[in-house]
Amino acid sequence: MKNIKYLVLDVDGTLTDGHIYMGQDGEIMKAFSAKDGYGICHIGMPNGITPVIITGRTSRIVENRAKELGITEIYQGVGDKFTKLTEILEKTGVELSQCAYCGDDMNDYDCMKRIQDAGGLVGCPADACDEVIELADFVSKKDGGRGAVREFIEWLVK
């Protein structure tokens, strides 16, 4: 296993199936996989991998899920994911090469590419966009929100 310290995670389309259920008062539901949650808490974290959520949307639902899983590094409403990750790394001293990233769409691509170029690892769900699939070191057999993150974590620790 590479010395991966951070697993950077996108939410919509990666930790969820990408569906956003909206009611008249705004976002009301997202579906998360218990398998991904187990992988984060019981496989990744015990192996020294800290999950870091960086997402473009802002949602109390994501806050609640992160709290439930014990994820303390959560950044929402982020337009430039690489700049945010750089800020985090500067504070912690973790190197870009010690990062893995699981994302599914073009808003993840730049950050994924830079991690990969630095020697880190990138993965994606089976239903990620074509450009992300072509870039990925690991492509899950599962779609976003259906255990893809757990598969990536299992691959990282083997």
Side-chain angles (χ1 to χ4, degrees):
M1 175 178 113
K2 276 192 163 214
N3 188 23
I4 299 297
K5 296 204 178 287
Y6 281 165
L7 172 57
V8 182
L9 297 165
D10 173 51
V11 175
D12 295 316
T14 303
L15 283 172
T16 75
D17 62 9
H19 291 92
I20 300 166
Y21 300 91
M22 302 287 281
Q24 66 183 10
D25 297 321
E27 186 176 76
I28 57 171
M29 281 192 292
K30 290 181 186 281
F32 295 91
S33 168
K35 292 176 183 180
D36 288 337
Y38 187 90
I40 291 166
C41 294
H42 299 288
I43 300 170
M45 292 167 109
N47 279 284
I49 300 173
T50 300
V52 178
I53 292 175
I54 304 177
T55 180
R57 293 180 54 83
T58 301
S59 168
R60 293 206 68 181
I61 296 167
V62 173
E63 285 177 35
N64 293 341
R65 182 63 172 152
K67 184 177 181 180
E68 182 179 59
L69 297 177
I71 299 173
T72 57
E73 299 290 325
I74 176 170
Y75 305 91
Q76 298 194 76
V78 177
D80 182 345
K81 294 182 179 190
F82 182 71
T83 297
K84 177 52 73 179
L85 179 58
T86 301
E87 291 170 11
I88 296 164
L89 298 179
E90 286 173 359
K91 290 179 190 172
T92 63
V94 173
E95 299 290 326
L96 199 55
S97 63
Q98 296 174 304
C99 293
Y101 192 114
C102 194
D104 73 305
D105 217 332
M106 292 309 296
N107 61 335
D108 302 305
Y109 186 90
D110 180 56
C111 198
M112 292 174 79
K113 177 81 169 109
R114 291 178 188 228
I115 287 171
Q116 189 180 61
D117 287 349
L121 298 168
V122 296
C124 68
D127 61 346
C129 74
D130 291 343
E131 293 88 348
V132 169
I133 288 173
E134 289 172 16
L135 175 68
D137 299 302
F138 175 85
V139 178
S140 175
K141 294 176 185 155
K142 300 184 183 305
D143 289 346
R146 304 217 183 277
V149 170
R150 179 179 176 155
E151 274 194 345
F152 185 45
I153 293 168
E154 288 173 341
W155 181 81
L156 287 172
V157 301
K158 285 183 180 171

